[in-house]
PDB file of all heavy atoms in Angstrom:
ATOM      1  N   LEU A  19      84.745  79.354  98.733  1.00  0.00           N
ATOM      2  CA  LEU A  19      84.819  79.430  97.280  1.00  0.00           C
ATOM      3  C   LEU A  19      86.002  80.297  96.941  1.00  0.00           C
ATOM      4  O   LEU A  19      86.103  81.428  97.417  1.00  0.00           O
ATOM      5  CB  LEU A  19      83.548  80.017  96.680  1.00  0.00           C
ATOM      6  CG  LEU A  19      83.589  79.922  95.132  1.00  0.00           C
ATOM      7  CD1 LEU A  19      82.245  79.501  94.582  1.00  0.00           C
ATOM      8  CD2 LEU A  19      84.087  81.185  94.473  1.00  0.00           C
ATOM      9  N   GLN A 125      73.873  71.367  91.351  1.00  0.00           N
ATOM     10  CA  GLN A 125      74.215  71.741  92.732  1.00  0.00           C
ATOM     11  C   GLN A 125      74.333  70.523  93.658  1.00  0.00           C
ATOM     12  O   GLN A 125      75.312  70.415  94.391  1.00  0.00           O
ATOM     13  CB  GLN A 125      73.163  72.752  93.244  1.00  0.00           C
ATOM     14  CG  GLN A 125      73.479  73.347  94.592  1.00  0.00           C
ATOM     15  CD  GLN A 125      72.876  72.542  95.731  1.00  0.00           C
ATOM     16  OE1 GLN A 125      71.865  71.862  95.548  1.00  0.00           O
ATOM     17  NE2 GLN A 125      73.506  72.617  96.894  1.00  0.00           N
ATOM     18  N   GLY A 154      79.664  84.947  88.723  1.00  0.00           N
ATOM     19  CA  GLY A 154      79.546  83.469  88.771  1.00  0.00           C
ATOM     20  C   GLY A 154      80.032  82.948  90.102  1.00  0.00           C
ATOM     21  O   GLY A 154      79.413  82.058  90.715  1.00  0.00           O
ATOM     22  N   ALA A 155      81.129  83.507  90.601  1.00  0.00           N
ATOM     23  CA  ALA A 155      81.715  83.067  91.874  1.00  0.00           C
ATOM     24  C   ALA A 155      80.752  83.379  93.025  1.00  0.00           C
ATOM     25  O   ALA A 155      80.527  82.538  93.908  1.00  0.00           O
ATOM     26  CB  ALA A 155      83.057  83.760  92.099  1.00  0.00           C
ATOM     27  N   ALA A 156      80.156  84.579  93.007  1.00  0.00           N
ATOM     28  CA  ALA A 156      79.231  84.956  94.070  1.00  0.00           C
ATOM     29  C   ALA A 156      77.996  84.048  94.053  1.00  0.00           C
ATOM     30  O   ALA A 156      77.505  83.613  95.082  1.00  0.00           O
ATOM     31  CB  ALA A 156      78.830  86.423  93.914  1.00  0.00           C
ATOM     32  N   LEU A 157      77.515  83.764  92.846  1.00  0.00           N
ATOM     33  CA  LEU A 157      76.337  82.912  92.687  1.00  0.00           C
ATOM     34  C   LEU A 157      76.626  81.489  93.198  1.00  0.00           C
ATOM     35  O   LEU A 157      75.835  80.934  93.999  1.00  0.00           O
ATOM     36  CB  LEU A 157      75.940  82.869  91.214  1.00  0.00           C
ATOM     37  CG  LEU A 157      74.781  81.942  90.836  1.00  0.00           C
ATOM     38  CD1 LEU A 157      73.482  82.394  91.488  1.00  0.00           C
ATOM     39  CD2 LEU A 157      74.615  81.893  89.301  1.00  0.00           C
ATOM     40  N   ARG A 158      77.752  80.924  92.766  1.00  0.00           N
ATOM     41  CA  ARG A 158      78.070  79.551  93.217  1.00  0.00           C
ATOM     42  C   ARG A 158      78.325  79.552  94.733  1.00  0.00           C
ATOM     43  O   ARG A 158      78.005  78.576  95.422  1.00  0.00           O
ATOM     44  CB  ARG A 158      79.282  79.035  92.470  1.00  0.00           C
ATOM     45  CG  ARG A 158      79.076  78.849  90.964  1.00  0.00           C
ATOM     46  CD  ARG A 158      78.115  77.708  90.656  1.00  0.00           C
ATOM     47  NE  ARG A 158      77.970  77.600  89.212  1.00  0.00           N
ATOM     48  CZ  ARG A 158      76.824  77.853  88.551  1.00  0.00           C
ATOM     49  NH1 ARG A 158      75.744  78.241  89.195  1.00  0.00           N
ATOM     50  NH2 ARG A 158      76.780  77.715  87.244  1.00  0.00           N
ATOM     51  N   ALA A 159      78.952  80.605  95.235  1.00  0.00           N
ATOM     52  CA  ALA A 159      79.213  80.653  96.693  1.00  0.00           C
ATOM     53  C   ALA A 159      77.884  80.598  97.452  1.00  0.00           C
ATOM     54  O   ALA A 159      77.768  79.928  98.479  1.00  0.00           O
ATOM     55  CB  ALA A 159      79.980  81.920  97.054  1.00  0.00           C
ATOM     56  N   ALA A 160      76.870  81.312  96.921  1.00  0.00           N
ATOM     57  CA  ALA A 160      75.548  81.297  97.592  1.00  0.00           C
ATOM     58  C   ALA A 160      74.899  79.914  97.414  1.00  0.00           C
ATOM     59  O   ALA A 160      74.389  79.343  98.408  1.00  0.00           O
ATOM     60  CB  ALA A 160      74.663  82.388  96.988  1.00  0.00           C
ATOM     61  N   GLU A 161      74.923  79.369  96.215  1.00  0.00           N
ATOM     62  CA  GLU A 161      74.273  78.082  95.963  1.00  0.00           C
ATOM     63  C   GLU A 161      74.911  76.974  96.761  1.00  0.00           C
ATOM     64  O   GLU A 161      74.225  76.050  97.227  1.00  0.00           O
ATOM     65  CB  GLU A 161      74.360  77.737  94.485  1.00  0.00           C
ATOM     66  CG  GLU A 161      73.381  78.509  93.623  1.00  0.00           C
ATOM     67  CD  GLU A 161      73.515  78.092  92.170  1.00  0.00           C
ATOM     68  OE1 GLU A 161      74.538  78.430  91.562  1.00  0.00           O
ATOM     69  OE2 GLU A 161      72.582  77.438  91.652  1.00  0.00           O
ATOM     70  N   MET A 162      76.230  77.016  96.907  1.00  0.00           N
ATOM     71  CA  MET A 162      76.948  75.943  97.621  1.00  0.00           C
ATOM     72  C   MET A 162      77.060  76.270  99.118  1.00  0.00           C
ATOM     73  O   MET A 162      77.730  75.558  99.833  1.00  0.00           O
ATOM     74  CB  MET A 162      78.354  75.758  97.030  1.00  0.00           C
ATOM     75  CG  MET A 162      78.366  75.372  95.535  1.00  0.00           C
ATOM     76  SD  MET A 162      77.332  73.942  95.143  1.00  0.00           S
ATOM     77  CE  MET A 162      78.111  72.647  96.083  1.00  0.00           C
ATOM     78  N   ARG A 163      76.405  77.310  99.550  1.00  0.00           N
ATOM     79  CA  ARG A 163      76.420  77.724 100.957  1.00  0.00           C
ATOM     80  C   ARG A 163      77.855  77.829 101.509  1.00  0.00           C
ATOM     81  O   ARG A 163      78.185  77.286 102.554  1.00  0.00           O
ATOM     82  CB  ARG A 163      75.553  76.784 101.799  1.00  0.00           C
ATOM     83  CG  ARG A 163      74.084  76.850 101.452  1.00  0.00           C
ATOM     84  CD  ARG A 163      73.221  75.982 102.333  1.00  0.00           C
ATOM     85  NE  ARG A 163      73.675  74.594 102.377  1.00  0.00           N
ATOM     86  CZ  ARG A 163      73.381  73.700 101.453  1.00  0.00           C
ATOM     87  NH1 ARG A 163      72.607  74.018 100.439  1.00  0.00           N
ATOM     88  NH2 ARG A 163      73.821  72.473 101.562  1.00  0.00           N
ATOM     89  N   CYS A 164      78.687  78.532 100.742  1.00  0.00           N
ATOM     90  CA  CYS A 164      80.067  78.708 101.200  1.00  0.00           C
ATOM     91  C   CYS A 164      80.103  79.733 102.334  1.00  0.00           C
ATOM     92  O   CYS A 164      79.290  80.661 102.358  1.00  0.00           O
ATOM     93  CB  CYS A 164      80.935  79.166 100.043  1.00  0.00           C
ATOM     94  SG  CYS A 164      81.140  77.894  98.793  1.00  0.00           S
ATOM     95  N   LEU A 167      83.868  83.933 100.326  1.00  0.00           N
ATOM     96  CA  LEU A 167      84.395  83.945  98.966  1.00  0.00           C
ATOM     97  C   LEU A 167      85.796  84.522  99.035  1.00  0.00           C
ATOM     98  O   LEU A 167      85.987  85.662  99.460  1.00  0.00           O
ATOM     99  CB  LEU A 167      83.485  84.787  98.047  1.00  0.00           C
ATOM    100  CG  LEU A 167      83.667  84.672  96.559  1.00  0.00           C
ATOM    101  CD1 LEU A 167      82.452  85.260  95.823  1.00  0.00           C
ATOM    102  CD2 LEU A 167      84.908  85.306  96.025  1.00  0.00           C
ATOM    103  N   LEU A 213      75.536  90.622  95.488  1.00  0.00           N
ATOM    104  CA  LEU A 213      75.033  89.253  95.716  1.00  0.00           C
ATOM    105  C   LEU A 213      75.622  88.726  97.039  1.00  0.00           C
ATOM    106  O   LEU A 213      74.936  88.091  97.834  1.00  0.00           O
ATOM    107  CB  LEU A 213      75.469  88.370  94.545  1.00  0.00           C
ATOM    108  CG  LEU A 213      74.661  87.117  94.238  1.00  0.00           C
ATOM    109  CD1 LEU A 213      73.170  87.399  94.107  1.00  0.00           C
ATOM    110  CD2 LEU A 213      75.170  86.480  92.936  1.00  0.00           C
ATOM    111  N   CYS A 214      76.908  89.001  97.269  1.00  0.00           N
ATOM    112  CA  CYS A 214      77.549  88.561  98.531  1.00  0.00           C
ATOM    113  C   CYS A 214      76.932  89.318  99.725  1.00  0.00           C
ATOM    114  O   CYS A 214      76.680  88.720 100.770  1.00  0.00           O
ATOM    115  CB  CYS A 214      79.044  88.776  98.475  1.00  0.00           C
ATOM    116  SG  CYS A 214      79.880  87.589  97.403  1.00  0.00           S
ATOM    117  N   ASN A 217      73.516  87.950 100.558  1.00  0.00           N
ATOM    118  CA  ASN A 217      73.517  86.590 101.095  1.00  0.00           C
ATOM    119  C   ASN A 217      74.498  86.440 102.257  1.00  0.00           C
ATOM    120  O   ASN A 217      74.757  85.313 102.721  1.00  0.00           O
ATOM    121  CB  ASN A 217      73.868  85.587  99.978  1.00  0.00           C
ATOM    122  CG  ASN A 217      72.725  85.514  98.973  1.00  0.00           C
ATOM    123  OD1 ASN A 217      71.706  84.901  99.262  1.00  0.00           O
ATOM    124  ND2 ASN A 217      72.880  86.160  97.836  1.00  0.00           N
ATOM    125  N   ILE A 219      77.752  86.795 102.596  1.00  0.00           N
ATOM    126  CA  ILE A 219      78.938  85.992 102.352  1.00  0.00           C
ATOM    127  C   ILE A 219      80.156  86.951 102.321  1.00  0.00           C
ATOM    128  O   ILE A 219      80.285  87.772 101.429  1.00  0.00           O
ATOM    129  CB  ILE A 219      78.861  85.236 100.992  1.00  0.00           C
ATOM    130  CG1 ILE A 219      77.645  84.322 100.976  1.00  0.00           C
ATOM    131  CG2 ILE A 219      80.150  84.472 100.718  1.00  0.00           C
ATOM    132  CD1 ILE A 219      77.281  83.780  99.616  1.00  0.00           C
TER     133      ILE A 219
END
Side-chain angles (χ1 to χ4, degrees):
L19 188 138
Q125 187 269 334
L157 176 65
R158 295 291 180 248
E161 283 180 290
M162 300 308 297
R163 295 184 305 278
C164 292
L167 194 164
L213 205 53
C214 287
N217 291 285
I219 301 167

